[in-house]
Amino acid sequence: MSAPPLFPLFTNLAGRAVVVVGGGAVARRKVASLIPTGARVRVGAPLLEPQLAEWAAEGRIEALPGEFDPGWLDGAWLVIAATDDVAVNRAVASAAESRRVWANVADDAELSGVHLPARVERGPVQIAISSGGGVPMLARHLREQLEGQFDESLGSLAELLAQARERIRSRLPDLASRRRFFDRVLKGAIPALLRRGDHVAAERELAAALEHPRSSPNGTVALVGAGPGDPGLLTLRALRVLNEADVVLHDRLVSAEVLALARRDAEFIEVGKQVGGDHHATQDRIHHLLVGHARQGKRVVRLKGGDPFIFGRGGEELEVLRAHGIDFEVVPGITAAIACGAYAGIPLTHREYAQSARFITAHTKEGDDGIDWAALAQEKQTLAFYMGVSGLERIRERLTAHGRSPSTPFAIIENGTRPEQRVVLGTLADLPELARFHQVGAPALLVIGEVAALAGNLHWFGSKPLTAASAGFDANLRDHTCSDPVGADFARAA
Ligand code: SAH
C-alpha cells in the first residue's frame, strides 16, 4: 500500500526557533539555507565544523554544546536531525514527536514528519519539488530541468507585480478583469524586458497596461538562433523563449527536433525560401507576418538556422520591426562554422596553423563577386564558406590563381551535428571532383585551410571522414568540367 500524499507548506520561520542537531557538513548545509529565513537557529553538537563555529562566534546562530538533550527542543518550531548516528537521529525524532515539534531527519523519509523539498529559487518565487520521500534523486533531476527553464528575471517579475499589487487591485477590482490583465501582462512584453534587465522599461510598460487595461497588449518578437540542427546546441534562453511562443516563424533549415521543443500549442509557420522562388516576395511576406502577429499582441519567435546574424538576414528583419515600433530581443545561436568545426574535429584557429578564421558567403551575383580573393588566398587562415553557390570549381580556381597552394586541405561538412553528418576531406586540387564523387548535398559547409586536415585525427562524431583514398576516388577525374551538384545544393539551402 502506498503512503498517503504529503501536504506541501511554505513556512515563515522569521524569529522562530529552529534546532539543528549535528555539527558536520550536512548540518552546515541545512543551517545555510535556514539563516536567510530569519529563523533563530540553534545548532546542537559536541563539536562544530569550522563554518558553523564561525557563525556561532558571529552570533548568527546559537551553539548548544554537548550530546543531544531533548530539552534542546523546548520552544522550537522545527528540528532537523543531521547527525550520522542513527540512534541520535531516532532520539531526536521521538523527542520531537512527543513535543509536537515538526522534525526532519536528513536522508530518512520514514523518521521525518516534514520533508525538505528540492527547490528552485528565483527571488521571492520558489518552486518546491518532492518525490514523496521515495526518490530524492528524481526530485533533484526535476529541479535541474526547472533551473534551465526559468532564469533570474522570474524573480524580478514577481517583485514588480508584487509592488504593483495595490494599484492593480484598485484599478481592476473584479477578479475576472484582473485575471485577464495578468494574462496579458505575463504574455506581453514585460517578461522579455526583464530578461534583458531593462527594469525601467518594464515598469513603464506595466504603468501603460494599468492606464489602458483593455487596450490590446504589445507583442514582442524574439529573433532566435536555432543552431545547426542538434537540439542540444540550443541555448537555454532559446529554449525558454520557445517555451513561451505563440507563433514560431521558422526557416526550412531549422531541424524538426528543435521545433519539437517549442510550446505545443504555438502556431508554426515555415517561411523558408523556395528553389527558384522570388526572394523579395518571400522576405516581404516574412516582414508582413512578423509585424502582423506582433501587432496582435502575440509572442513571436523568428527562428533561424545557426545564428540569426550570420548570413541570416536577421538584421533586415529587425530594421523593419524597429521602423514599426515593435519590441524585439535577439538570442544568438551556434553558427554552422563553429558547430561543424566542433563536430568534425576541426579547431578553426589551431595556433600552429591559423591565426584567423573567416566566414564567407559565395552567394553573390555572377560576374564580379565582390570577394577579395587575394586576401582569402593568404596563408595561415581558415576559410569557412557558407552557401558555396557559385561553385567549388570557382573557389579552387580563384584561390589557386591568387597563390594558395593546391595542396591546401579542405573539409566539407554535410548535415553537420545531425545524425547523418558526413565529412569529406581532401586538398584544394581535388575539391569539386571529390565533392561530386561523394555526392555531397545541402546543407553543407566548406572549410579550407591546414586545420581541415586535423579532422582525420580528431573526428569523434558520426561516421569516419571520407577521403580520396577511402572509396577509390580517381584523381584523373580532376580535369572533367561537368556540372557542380554541390554548388546547386548550396543554392537550394540558401
Ligand atoms: N545563419 C546560418 C547560416 C545560414 S546560410 C548560420 O549561422 O549557420 C545557410 C548555410 O549555412 C548553408 O548553405 C550551409 O552552408 C550552412 N549550414 C547551416 N546549417 C548547416 C549544417 N547543419 N551543416 C552544414 N552546413 C550548414
Side-chain angles (χ1 to χ4, degrees):
M1 224 176 31
S2 63
L6 300 171
F7 185 75
L9 292 170
F10 286 92
T11 51
N12 177 356
L13 294 178
R16 301 204 159 103
V18 176
V19 175
V20 176
V21 183
V26 180
R28 187 217 322 130
R29 282 201 293 277
K30 306 292 177 195
V31 171
S33 60
L34 284 167
I35 288 176
T37 67
R40 287 192 288 118
V41 183
R42 297 178 185 151
V43 181
L47 198 69
L48 298 182
E49 60 90 61
Q51 177 67 72
L52 286 171
E54 192 180 321
W55 283 332
E58 290 167 359
R60 299 174 77 177
I61 61 176
E62 184 189 335
L64 305 165
E67 301 295 335
F68 172 64
D69 174 351
W72 289 351
L73 302 191
D74 292 340
W77 293 75
L78 173 69
V79 58
I80 297 175
T83 79
D84 50 11
D85 185 329
V86 182
V88 174
N89 287 350
R90 258 179 214 292
V92 173
S94 91
E97 189 72 23
S98 58
R99 284 172 167 74
R100 301 189 179 201
V101 175
W102 287 114
N104 172 264
V105 179
D107 283 331
D108 193 329
E110 243 160 78
L111 281 182
S112 295
V114 288
H115 295 188
L116 306 184
R119 298 188 285 166
V120 177
E121 285 184 86
R122 297 292 182 261
V125 177
Q126 295 204 46
I127 306 170
I129 307 148
S130 162
S131 64
V135 205
M137 281 300 178
L138 177 63
R140 248 168 260 166
H141 176 73
L142 290 173
R143 179 188 60 195
E144 277 165 29
Q145 294 191 333
L146 291 168
E147 289 276 3
Q149 211 156 321
F150 301 104
D151 62 29
E152 289 304 326
S153 69
L154 182 61
S156 313
L157 182 64
E159 275 158 18
L160 179 72
L161 294 173
Q163 275 163 20
R165 193 163 171 207
E166 282 315 311
R167 274 190 291 154
I168 296 169
R169 272 174 182 265
S170 61
R171 182 94 176 105
L172 301 160
D174 75 297
L175 189 62
S177 61
R178 218 152 55 225
R179 261 208 198 118
R180 275 196 302 278
F181 174 80
F182 272 104
D183 198 45
R184 169 194 156 174
V185 162
L186 294 175
K187 285 184 179 163
I190 291 174
L193 290 169
L194 290 172
R195 246 194 320 267
R196 66 187 201 221
D198 196 342
H199 295 256
V200 176
E203 267 169 45
R204 206 183 309 126
E205 187 75 21
L206 182 64
L210 273 172
E211 186 90 356
H212 308 284
R214 266 158 284 273
S215 74
S216 71
N218 288 327
T220 55
V221 175
L223 177 63
V224 179
D230 178 347
L233 296 179
L234 273 183
T235 62
L236 277 180
R237 179 154 298 179
L239 191 60
R240 289 173 183 140
V241 171
L242 279 170
N243 266 318
E244 293 174 358
D246 295 312
V247 184
V248 179
L249 300 175
H250 63 93
D251 285 352
R252 262 187 343 129
L253 216 50
V254 176
S255 72
E257 290 87 343
V258 168
L259 291 178
L261 294 173
R263 198 162 68 101
R264 286 284 147 81
D265 40 2
E267 183 184 348
F268 293 85
I269 307 175
E270 187 188 305
V271 292
K273 287 155 197 139
Q274 296 303 320
V275 197
D278 180 342
H279 282 208
H280 257 300
T282 321
Q283 200 59 42
D284 279 351
R285 173 167 170 260
I286 294 172
H287 295 164
H288 188 76
L289 286 168
L290 281 173
V291 172
H293 284 291
R295 285 245 164 97
Q296 288 167 37
K298 295 189 182 152
R299 287 165 298 181
V300 183
V301 169
R302 172 72 176 106
L303 195 58
K304 287 170 173 285
D307 178 85
F309 281 178
I310 303 290
F311 308 129
R313 304 187 76 161
E316 291 166 49
E317 293 173 17
L318 294 191
E319 279 161 12
V320 171
L321 293 173
R322 175 95 340 136
H324 285 81
I326 291 163
D327 218 48
F328 58 76
E329 65 183 305
V330 183
V331 182
I334 299 186
T335 190
I338 304 289
C340 291
Y343 275 56
I346 302 175
L348 295 182
T349 63
H350 190 299
R351 52 183 285 179
E352 280 177 32
Y353 309 105
Q355 268 141 12
S356 65
R358 296 194 184 219
F359 299 171
I360 307 141
T361 171
H363 186 226
T364 48
K365 281 189 226 120
E366 280 302 316
D368 172 25
D369 57 22
I371 295 178
D372 183 354
W373 291 101
L376 294 192
Q378 280 172 26
E379 305 284 304
K380 286 235 157 202
Q381 59 176 332
T382 303
L383 310 179
F385 282 96
Y386 291 66
M387 304 176 283
V389 63
S390 22
L392 303 176
E393 257 100 7
R394 190 180 61 133
I395 290 174
R396 170 176 63 189
E397 183 258 304
R398 300 281 156 94
L399 286 177
T400 48
H402 286 87
R404 192 86 190 223
S405 162
S407 66
T408 308
F410 79 80
I412 295 176
I413 302 99
E414 175 197 77
N415 279 310
T417 81
R418 303 176 188 205
E420 60 274 26
Q421 167 174 306
R422 291 199 305 162
V423 178
V424 178
L425 300 182
T427 56
L428 204 46
D430 294 331
L431 172 58
E433 292 82 11
L434 201 54
R436 198 147 47 224
F437 182 77
H438 288 295
Q439 302 189 319
V440 175
L445 183 97
L446 168 64
V447 176
I448 296 177
E450 274 63 32
V451 294
L454 296 176
N457 184 30
L458 300 182
H459 70 86
W460 58 273
F461 178 80
S463 51
K464 277 196 166 172
L466 302 162
T467 61
S470 62
F473 167 73
D474 179 359
N476 293 326
L477 293 173
R478 190 175 294 162
D479 291 319
H480 287 198
T481 49
C482 32
S483 69
D484 176 2
V486 177
D489 280 324
F490 275 120
R492 238 178 287 144

PDB file of all heavy atoms in Angstrom, residues 25-49:
ATOM      1  N   ALA A  25      29.037  18.596   7.900  1.00  0.00           N
ATOM      2  CA  ALA A  25      28.761  19.249   6.614  1.00  0.00           C
ATOM      3  C   ALA A  25      27.267  19.283   6.302  1.00  0.00           C
ATOM      4  O   ALA A  25      26.753  20.282   5.767  1.00  0.00           O
ATOM      5  CB  ALA A  25      29.513  18.538   5.499  1.00  0.00           C
ATOM      6  N   VAL A  26      26.555  18.194   6.627  1.00  0.00           N
ATOM      7  CA  VAL A  26      25.118  18.176   6.339  1.00  0.00           C
ATOM      8  C   VAL A  26      24.417  19.250   7.164  1.00  0.00           C
ATOM      9  O   VAL A  26      23.602  20.026   6.664  1.00  0.00           O
ATOM     10  CB  VAL A  26      24.515  16.776   6.641  1.00  0.00           C
ATOM     11  CG1 VAL A  26      23.021  16.771   6.349  1.00  0.00           C
ATOM     12  CG2 VAL A  26      25.231  15.710   5.833  1.00  0.00           C
ATOM     13  N   ALA A  27      24.785  19.318   8.447  1.00  0.00           N
ATOM     14  CA  ALA A  27      24.207  20.334   9.318  1.00  0.00           C
ATOM     15  C   ALA A  27      24.501  21.733   8.769  1.00  0.00           C
ATOM     16  O   ALA A  27      23.634  22.613   8.751  1.00  0.00           O
ATOM     17  CB  ALA A  27      24.752  20.184  10.739  1.00  0.00           C
ATOM     18  N   ARG A  28      25.764  21.908   8.290  1.00  0.00           N
ATOM     19  CA  ARG A  28      26.132  23.225   7.771  1.00  0.00           C
ATOM     20  C   ARG A  28      25.234  23.624   6.596  1.00  0.00           C
ATOM     21  O   ARG A  28      24.775  24.751   6.495  1.00  0.00           O
ATOM     22  CB  ARG A  28      27.598  23.216   7.328  1.00  0.00           C
ATOM     23  CG  ARG A  28      28.091  24.601   6.938  1.00  0.00           C
ATOM     24  CD  ARG A  28      29.052  24.640   5.755  1.00  0.00           C
ATOM     25  NE  ARG A  28      29.979  23.533   5.760  1.00  0.00           N
ATOM     26  CZ  ARG A  28      30.200  22.758   4.715  1.00  0.00           C
ATOM     27  NH1 ARG A  28      29.557  22.970   3.583  1.00  0.00           N
ATOM     28  NH2 ARG A  28      31.069  21.770   4.788  1.00  0.00           N
ATOM     29  N   ARG A  29      24.961  22.661   5.692  1.00  0.00           N
ATOM     30  CA  ARG A  29      24.102  22.977   4.532  1.00  0.00           C
ATOM     31  C   ARG A  29      22.695  23.350   4.968  1.00  0.00           C
ATOM     32  O   ARG A  29      22.086  24.282   4.447  1.00  0.00           O
ATOM     33  CB  ARG A  29      24.055  21.789   3.570  1.00  0.00           C
ATOM     34  CG  ARG A  29      25.297  21.674   2.688  1.00  0.00           C
ATOM     35  CD  ARG A  29      25.014  20.840   1.453  1.00  0.00           C
ATOM     36  NE  ARG A  29      24.747  19.435   1.796  1.00  0.00           N
ATOM     37  CZ  ARG A  29      25.708  18.535   2.010  1.00  0.00           C
ATOM     38  NH1 ARG A  29      26.978  18.890   1.930  1.00  0.00           N
ATOM     39  NH2 ARG A  29      25.407  17.295   2.298  1.00  0.00           N
ATOM     40  N   LYS A  30      22.170  22.639   5.962  1.00  0.00           N
ATOM     41  CA  LYS A  30      20.817  22.948   6.442  1.00  0.00           C
ATOM     42  C   LYS A  30      20.804  24.336   7.071  1.00  0.00           C
ATOM     43  O   LYS A  30      19.897  25.142   6.828  1.00  0.00           O
ATOM     44  CB  LYS A  30      20.341  21.920   7.481  1.00  0.00           C
ATOM     45  CG  LYS A  30      20.407  20.483   7.035  1.00  0.00           C
ATOM     46  CD  LYS A  30      19.406  20.166   5.937  1.00  0.00           C
ATOM     47  CE  LYS A  30      19.570  18.727   5.472  1.00  0.00           C
ATOM     48  NZ  LYS A  30      18.896  18.458   4.199  1.00  0.00           N
ATOM     49  N   VAL A  31      21.826  24.608   7.893  1.00  0.00           N
ATOM     50  CA  VAL A  31      21.889  25.909   8.559  1.00  0.00           C
ATOM     51  C   VAL A  31      22.001  27.031   7.515  1.00  0.00           C
ATOM     52  O   VAL A  31      21.349  28.073   7.619  1.00  0.00           O
ATOM     53  CB  VAL A  31      23.069  25.957   9.555  1.00  0.00           C
ATOM     54  CG1 VAL A  31      23.283  27.368  10.096  1.00  0.00           C
ATOM     55  CG2 VAL A  31      22.815  24.987  10.710  1.00  0.00           C
ATOM     56  N   ALA A  32      22.807  26.776   6.483  1.00  0.00           N
ATOM     57  CA  ALA A  32      22.997  27.803   5.448  1.00  0.00           C
ATOM     58  C   ALA A  32      21.661  28.158   4.797  1.00  0.00           C
ATOM     59  O   ALA A  32      21.415  29.315   4.452  1.00  0.00           O
ATOM     60  CB  ALA A  32      23.998  27.329   4.405  1.00  0.00           C
ATOM     61  N   SER A  33      20.790  27.184   4.617  1.00  0.00           N
ATOM     62  CA  SER A  33      19.516  27.521   3.989  1.00  0.00           C
ATOM     63  C   SER A  33      18.519  28.084   4.989  1.00  0.00           C
ATOM     64  O   SER A  33      17.528  28.711   4.609  1.00  0.00           O
ATOM     65  CB  SER A  33      18.940  26.317   3.239  1.00  0.00           C
ATOM     66  OG  SER A  33      18.719  25.256   4.137  1.00  0.00           O
ATOM     67  N   LEU A  34      18.778  27.890   6.293  1.00  0.00           N
ATOM     68  CA  LEU A  34      17.867  28.445   7.305  1.00  0.00           C
ATOM     69  C   LEU A  34      18.177  29.911   7.612  1.00  0.00           C
ATOM     70  O   LEU A  34      17.268  30.706   7.881  1.00  0.00           O
ATOM     71  CB  LEU A  34      17.963  27.635   8.603  1.00  0.00           C
ATOM     72  CG  LEU A  34      17.262  26.271   8.587  1.00  0.00           C
ATOM     73  CD1 LEU A  34      17.692  25.450   9.803  1.00  0.00           C
ATOM     74  CD2 LEU A  34      15.746  26.445   8.556  1.00  0.00           C
ATOM     75  N   ILE A  35      19.457  30.280   7.609  1.00  0.00           N
ATOM     76  CA  ILE A  35      19.840  31.634   8.024  1.00  0.00           C
ATOM     77  C   ILE A  35      19.074  32.719   7.262  1.00  0.00           C
ATOM     78  O   ILE A  35      18.523  33.644   7.878  1.00  0.00           O
ATOM     79  CB  ILE A  35      21.370  31.832   7.929  1.00  0.00           C
ATOM     80  CG1 ILE A  35      22.054  31.044   9.056  1.00  0.00           C
ATOM     81  CG2 ILE A  35      21.745  33.312   8.030  1.00  0.00           C
ATOM     82  CD1 ILE A  35      23.581  31.085   9.022  1.00  0.00           C
ATOM     83  N   PRO A  36      18.967  32.631   5.917  1.00  0.00           N
ATOM     84  CA  PRO A  36      18.270  33.707   5.200  1.00  0.00           C
ATOM     85  C   PRO A  36      16.793  33.848   5.579  1.00  0.00           C
ATOM     86  O   PRO A  36      16.199  34.903   5.347  1.00  0.00           O
ATOM     87  CB  PRO A  36      18.405  33.303   3.720  1.00  0.00           C
ATOM     88  CG  PRO A  36      19.497  32.305   3.665  1.00  0.00           C
ATOM     89  CD  PRO A  36      19.517  31.626   4.997  1.00  0.00           C
ATOM     90  N   THR A  37      16.186  32.805   6.165  1.00  0.00           N
ATOM     91  CA  THR A  37      14.763  32.896   6.510  1.00  0.00           C
ATOM     92  C   THR A  37      14.532  33.744   7.753  1.00  0.00           C
ATOM     93  O   THR A  37      13.397  34.056   8.090  1.00  0.00           O
ATOM     94  CB  THR A  37      14.166  31.499   6.803  1.00  0.00           C
ATOM     95  OG1 THR A  37      14.772  30.994   8.011  1.00  0.00           O
ATOM     96  CG2 THR A  37      14.417  30.542   5.656  1.00  0.00           C
ATOM     97  N   GLY A  38      15.606  34.076   8.478  1.00  0.00           N
ATOM     98  CA  GLY A  38      15.450  34.864   9.704  1.00  0.00           C
ATOM     99  C   GLY A  38      15.107  34.009  10.918  1.00  0.00           C
ATOM    100  O   GLY A  38      14.784  34.537  11.987  1.00  0.00           O
ATOM    101  N   ALA A  39      15.182  32.682  10.747  1.00  0.00           N
ATOM    102  CA  ALA A  39      14.912  31.798  11.890  1.00  0.00           C
ATOM    103  C   ALA A  39      15.978  32.007  12.965  1.00  0.00           C
ATOM    104  O   ALA A  39      17.108  32.394  12.655  1.00  0.00           O
ATOM    105  CB  ALA A  39      14.918  30.347  11.418  1.00  0.00           C
ATOM    106  N   ARG A  40      15.616  31.756  14.226  1.00  0.00           N
ATOM    107  CA  ARG A  40      16.627  31.749  15.288  1.00  0.00           C
ATOM    108  C   ARG A  40      17.202  30.338  15.337  1.00  0.00           C
ATOM    109  O   ARG A  40      16.580  29.427  15.858  1.00  0.00           O
ATOM    110  CB  ARG A  40      15.998  32.138  16.623  1.00  0.00           C
ATOM    111  CG  ARG A  40      15.677  33.642  16.681  1.00  0.00           C
ATOM    112  CD  ARG A  40      15.337  34.082  18.098  1.00  0.00           C
ATOM    113  NE  ARG A  40      14.023  33.588  18.504  1.00  0.00           N
ATOM    114  CZ  ARG A  40      13.806  32.763  19.524  1.00  0.00           C
ATOM    115  NH1 ARG A  40      14.813  32.316  20.254  1.00  0.00           N
ATOM    116  NH2 ARG A  40      12.581  32.378  19.817  1.00  0.00           N
ATOM    117  N   VAL A  41      18.354  30.167  14.734  1.00  0.00           N
ATOM    118  CA  VAL A  41      18.898  28.822  14.551  1.00  0.00           C
ATOM    119  C   VAL A  41      19.789  28.445  15.729  1.00  0.00           C
ATOM    120  O   VAL A  41      20.680  29.198  16.110  1.00  0.00           O
ATOM    121  CB  VAL A  41      19.723  28.736  13.238  1.00  0.00           C
ATOM    122  CG1 VAL A  41      20.224  27.311  13.014  1.00  0.00           C
ATOM    123  CG2 VAL A  41      18.890  29.209  12.049  1.00  0.00           C
ATOM    124  N   ARG A  42      19.513  27.269  16.300  1.00  0.00           N
ATOM    125  CA  ARG A  42      20.376  26.726  17.361  1.00  0.00           C
ATOM    126  C   ARG A  42      20.951  25.430  16.846  1.00  0.00           C
ATOM    127  O   ARG A  42      20.217  24.582  16.345  1.00  0.00           O
ATOM    128  CB  ARG A  42      19.566  26.423  18.609  1.00  0.00           C
ATOM    129  CG  ARG A  42      18.954  27.667  19.184  1.00  0.00           C
ATOM    130  CD  ARG A  42      18.121  27.278  20.391  1.00  0.00           C
ATOM    131  NE  ARG A  42      17.442  28.468  20.871  1.00  0.00           N
ATOM    132  CZ  ARG A  42      16.268  28.429  21.491  1.00  0.00           C
ATOM    133  NH1 ARG A  42      15.670  27.287  21.695  1.00  0.00           N
ATOM    134  NH2 ARG A  42      15.723  29.542  21.896  1.00  0.00           N
ATOM    135  N   VAL A  43      22.263  25.297  16.996  1.00  0.00           N
ATOM    136  CA  VAL A  43      22.907  24.087  16.495  1.00  0.00           C
ATOM    137  C   VAL A  43      23.493  23.303  17.652  1.00  0.00           C
ATOM    138  O   VAL A  43      24.349  23.813  18.385  1.00  0.00           O
ATOM    139  CB  VAL A  43      24.013  24.429  15.475  1.00  0.00           C
ATOM    140  CG1 VAL A  43      24.656  23.154  14.932  1.00  0.00           C
ATOM    141  CG2 VAL A  43      23.428  25.237  14.321  1.00  0.00           C
ATOM    142  N   GLY A  44      23.014  22.069  17.839  1.00  0.00           N
ATOM    143  CA  GLY A  44      23.489  21.252  18.941  1.00  0.00           C
ATOM    144  C   GLY A  44      24.409  20.157  18.491  1.00  0.00           C
ATOM    145  O   GLY A  44      24.053  19.379  17.603  1.00  0.00           O
ATOM    146  N   ALA A  45      25.603  20.106  19.047  1.00  0.00           N
ATOM    147  CA  ALA A  45      26.580  19.061  18.716  1.00  0.00           C
ATOM    148  C   ALA A  45      27.747  19.173  19.678  1.00  0.00           C
ATOM    149  O   ALA A  45      28.014  20.253  20.199  1.00  0.00           O
ATOM    150  CB  ALA A  45      27.081  19.240  17.286  1.00  0.00           C
ATOM    151  N   PRO A  46      28.460  18.031  19.892  1.00  0.00           N
ATOM    152  CA  PRO A  46      29.646  18.098  20.749  1.00  0.00           C
ATOM    153  C   PRO A  46      30.715  18.989  20.128  1.00  0.00           C
ATOM    154  O   PRO A  46      31.483  19.627  20.835  1.00  0.00           O
ATOM    155  CB  PRO A  46      30.135  16.637  20.817  1.00  0.00           C
ATOM    156  CG  PRO A  46      29.006  15.803  20.332  1.00  0.00           C
ATOM    157  CD  PRO A  46      28.164  16.659  19.445  1.00  0.00           C
ATOM    158  N   LEU A  47      30.751  19.022  18.781  1.00  0.00           N
ATOM    159  CA  LEU A  47      31.798  19.764  18.088  1.00  0.00           C
ATOM    160  C   LEU A  47      31.215  20.353  16.808  1.00  0.00           C
ATOM    161  O   LEU A  47      30.482  19.674  16.091  1.00  0.00           O
ATOM    162  CB  LEU A  47      32.939  18.790  17.738  1.00  0.00           C
ATOM    163  CG  LEU A  47      34.286  19.415  17.414  1.00  0.00           C
ATOM    164  CD1 LEU A  47      34.900  20.029  18.674  1.00  0.00           C
ATOM    165  CD2 LEU A  47      35.225  18.334  16.850  1.00  0.00           C
ATOM    166  N   LEU A  48      31.543  21.638  16.517  1.00  0.00           N
ATOM    167  CA  LEU A  48      31.039  22.262  15.291  1.00  0.00           C
ATOM    168  C   LEU A  48      32.149  22.318  14.237  1.00  0.00           C
ATOM    169  O   LEU A  48      33.294  22.629  14.568  1.00  0.00           O
ATOM    170  CB  LEU A  48      30.546  23.677  15.563  1.00  0.00           C
ATOM    171  CG  LEU A  48      29.372  23.819  16.529  1.00  0.00           C
ATOM    172  CD1 LEU A  48      28.975  25.286  16.655  1.00  0.00           C
ATOM    173  CD2 LEU A  48      28.175  22.985  16.090  1.00  0.00           C
ATOM    174  N   GLU A  49      31.789  22.054  12.980  1.00  0.00           N
ATOM    175  CA  GLU A  49      32.787  22.216  11.901  1.00  0.00           C
ATOM    176  C   GLU A  49      33.080  23.719  11.763  1.00  0.00           C
ATOM    177  O   GLU A  49      32.332  24.559  12.283  1.00  0.00           O
ATOM    178  CB  GLU A  49      32.318  21.528  10.609  1.00  0.00           C
ATOM    179  CG  GLU A  49      31.018  22.048  10.028  1.00  0.00           C
ATOM    180  CD  GLU A  49      31.249  23.186   9.062  1.00  0.00           C
ATOM    181  OE1 GLU A  49      31.933  22.968   8.065  1.00  0.00           O
ATOM    182  OE2 GLU A  49      30.746  24.292   9.315  1.00  0.00           O
TER     183      GLU A  49
END
